[in-house]
Amino acid sequence: MAHVNQEKWSSGTAFLLAAIGSAVGLGNIYRFPYVVGENGGGAFVILYLGIVLFFGIPLVMTELTIGRRRQLPPFTAFTELSEGKKSQPFWKFIGFTTILTPLGILGFYFVIAGWTLNYVVSLITGQLSDLQEGQTQAVFAEMMDSPGTLIFWMTLSVAITAFIISRGIKAGLEKAVNILMPMLFLILVLLVIYSFFNGGIKETFEFMFTPDFEKINMRTVLEATGQAFFSLSLGSATMLVYGSYLPKNESIPKLACGVAFADTFVALIAGFAIFPIIFTNGLELDSGPNLVFVTLPVIFDQMPFGQVFGILFFLLLAFAAITSTISLFEPAVSNLEERGIFTRRKASLVVGLGLWCLAALSALSMNVLSDVRLLTFNDTVAGKNIMDILEYMSANGMMLFNSLFAGIFLGWVLNRKEALEELGLGDSILFKFWRGIIKFVVPIVVGYLIIDFLGYGFI
Ligand code: PHE
């Protein structure tokens, strides 16, 4: 098999920035706040933290281990690590579903990334000034109704991503995250300070940290797990591929904790950037995209320096989105390059064009194709448009599915010695604990969540 000389991250810090860039995305800043809002605040946050700790971190470690073991892209990693096993065809299949998943995610993620770019420019040009709530609703609806606008901004996000990827690990990904991540943190801090001075911090604390455990049921558990996996970029080949570029002397457990910590911190902080503004202005917590794209622009319009902070807010979203889209784009390109099918530049172009078509379908599913219904035999997806189906299948179903099998692969297929070597924890209690979770707890819990996802839940 052709093993093209793979580039590596230049340091553990470079990896960390890129992996945090992948993890911190629309999921943290755009989705986390409204999911918390929809699921009753504090109790959901506590549940979420527990899931990150007990499943998230061990699974990030798992994916980094599988990726780094042979330093191969996801599909090839599963294939080679199961060499000589009867189950190898199955693991090839898992390798395949694992690299398809990020492509499905990009099918809708690129469209939303496009919205954020559009809003940055609209705020700069003053198109979102002097508006009341109904009017920002109209601006958002107008964007959704316009295939041209959606496709234009989506195309821009595909082009930026493909360009960065085509330049390779050091000159492309590393350089991009070196510029974007510090700016992202700076903007986030500025926004929190701004929120802080505008009041509403106390209400935000109460809302985010007062648990009401009656709000917790199987649905919220599923929702919190889905959100945690999505936010940590699990089950979607990205941690596998970023792990494959990780130098052997870097500590996987430390880096995994770093990524999980930063990701969770940003999600919580994003709550502190958004909720206070909502609470002090006495507005209702809107659900879904409305929270960020309809409610916030009204407030930015009314507050002192609102326009500047509005621009910063949407820039933050755009940067977070781009550092995630590059990580979702990389697995397919990495595999195509390693197999010798295309050069990196050609692979970036081909994958970019394919994804453009998929994302265009998503964009059109909000207007021209809004009546198209696929998979109508399944009750849960019967009412969803193409973009929602893509999101539901890839970001919920497939991520859980791939994570389940990454866990089973590490626990039951990869031999213990190999895992021991990669982790560098020695044969310690920590190592045993981690492996026990992956080997027994993950299959049961994530397996059950998949059964529930498929509509056969019994709890
Ligand atoms: N973690 C990213 C976010 O929170 C999304 C993502 C999912 C990125 C899967 C890569 C892989 O927005």
Side-chain angles (χ1 to χ4, degrees):
M1 189 158 299
H3 288 176
V4 175
N5 229 347
Q6 280 199 63
E7 260 190 293
K8 297 268 164 312
W9 301 114
S10 38
S11 64
T13 319
F15 162 84
L16 203 57
L17 268 193
I20 294 175
S22 167
V24 171
L26 297 171
N28 303 58
I29 301 159
Y30 155 78
R31 197 162 186 280
F32 185 79
Y34 81 74
V35 176
V36 171
E38 283 172 354
N39 290 285
F44 183 86
V45 173
I46 292 177
L47 181 67
Y48 180 86
L49 295 178
I51 292 170
V52 168
L53 200 61
F54 284 103
F55 298 110
I57 295 178
L59 277 167
V60 173
M61 285 162 62
T62 298
E63 293 199 10
L64 294 179
T65 303
I66 299 175
R68 188 173 72 177
R69 187 61 199 152
R70 299 278 164 93
Q71 310 199 308
L72 288 171
F75 176 74
T76 326
F78 277 109
T79 309
E80 294 223 345
L81 287 168
S82 60
E83 192 76 60
K85 302 243 161 45
K86 267 219 225 67
S87 55
Q88 196 194 28
F90 177 74
W91 295 112
K92 278 192 173 172
F93 169 72
I94 294 300
F96 188 64
T97 61
T98 304
I99 49 171
L100 277 190
T101 305
L103 304 179
I105 296 176
L106 281 177
F108 68 87
Y109 209 94
F110 271 139
V111 179
I112 308 181
W115 301 351
T116 66
L117 294 174
N118 184 1
Y119 268 61
V120 172
V121 175
S122 300
L123 272 157
I124 294 177
T125 54
Q127 273 161 284
L128 283 166
S129 302
D130 302 325
L131 299 177
Q132 306 292 320
E133 196 168 358
Q135 292 167 302
T136 54
Q137 180 79 58
V139 169
F140 187 62
E142 200 181 305
M143 172 175 82
M144 297 300 231
D145 284 341
S146 159
T149 311
L150 289 175
I151 290 183
F152 175 81
W153 295 103
M154 173 278 281
T155 306
L156 193 61
S157 65
V158 177
I160 295 173
T161 308
F163 172 73
I164 296 173
I165 294 290
S166 70
R167 299 176 47 93
I169 306 303
K170 290 204 176 80
L173 286 91
E174 251 185 65
K175 205 163 176 194
V177 296
N178 277 343
I179 299 171
L180 295 177
M181 293 309 286
M183 297 220 276
L184 187 149
F185 288 121
L186 183 71
I187 297 179
L188 197 57
V189 171
L190 283 176
L191 286 172
V192 174
I193 297 176
Y194 177 68
S195 270
F196 199 83
F197 282 110
N198 281 294
I201 291 285
K202 194 167 145 269
E203 288 93 325
T204 303
F205 252 106
E206 272 167 19
F207 176 70
M208 299 230 327
F209 298 113
T210 316
D212 172 4
F213 288 106
E214 274 173 20
K215 297 249 168 69
I216 300 294
N217 54 39
M218 209 46 215
R219 282 261 73 80
T220 30
V221 175
L222 192 64
E223 185 85 47
T225 315
Q227 174 65 25
F229 282 25
F230 186 75
S231 194
L232 290 170
S233 305
L234 287 169
S236 50
T238 56
M239 288 298 160
L240 289 167
V241 85
Y242 277 14
S244 75
Y245 305 137
L246 185 62
K248 285 278 186 186
N249 57 354
E250 298 292 339
S251 158
I252 285 182
K254 271 193 205 143
L255 292 171
C257 290
V259 173
F261 176 80
D263 183 57
T264 309
F265 185 70
V266 171
L268 294 174
I269 285 290
F272 278 90
I274 293 176
F275 292 135
I277 317 188
I278 306 254
F279 292 141
T280 31
N281 287 276
L283 290 167
E284 288 294 306
L285 268 184
D286 239 324
S287 61
N290 277 8
L291 176 60
V292 161
F293 289 98
V294 175
T295 310
L296 287 186
V298 186
I299 309 175
F300 286 138
D301 193 28
Q302 293 162 358
M303 294 174 89
F305 308 107
Q307 193 189 2
V308 176
F309 282 93
I311 294 171
L312 286 178
F313 180 79
F314 284 101
L315 261 185
L316 169 75
L317 274 180
F319 291 168
I322 296 293
T323 52
S324 294
T325 56
I326 56 178
S327 75
L328 288 155
F329 201 108
E330 176 65 21
V333 170
S334 170
N335 267 295
L336 289 170
E337 191 191 16
E338 184 261 347
R339 301 238 129 195
I341 301 176
F342 290 121
T343 60
R344 172 167 279 269
R345 289 177 76 179
K346 273 216 186 96
S348 311
L349 189 67
V350 172
V351 174
L353 286 175
L355 283 171
W356 184 88
C357 297
L358 191 63
L361 275 180
S362 271
L364 295 179
S365 73
M366 276 167 298
N367 35 67
V368 195
L369 301 179
S370 63
D371 292 333
V372 175
R373 291 287 173 269
L374 303 170
L375 311 175
T376 44
F377 54 85
N378 180 309
D379 286 348
T380 328
V381 291
K384 294 186 191 292
N385 66 24
I386 300 175
M387 177 151 158
D388 292 343
I389 291 187
L390 266 180
E391 174 177 354
Y392 185 71
M393 302 288 281
S394 53
N396 291 320
M398 293 307 295
M399 287 182 92
L400 287 177
F401 179 84
N402 298 329
S403 301
L404 169 69
F405 285 103
I408 295 183
F409 189 77
L410 189 121
W412 301 90
V413 178
L414 195 73
N415 73 44
R416 188 171 190 279
K417 210 179 116 260
E418 296 199 76
L420 202 64
E421 263 177 45
E422 280 311 310
L423 263 274
L425 290 172
D427 203 350
S428 59
I429 181 101
L430 262 180
F431 176 77
K432 292 194 176 104
F433 181 67
W434 167 69
R435 201 149 173 275
I437 289 197
I438 294 298
K439 210 167 161 163
F440 303 108
V441 188
V442 163
I444 296 173
V445 176
V446 182
Y448 176 76
L449 292 176
I450 293 174
I451 293 175
D452 196 80
F453 171 82
L454 294 172
Y456 300 107
F458 43 82
I459 298 182

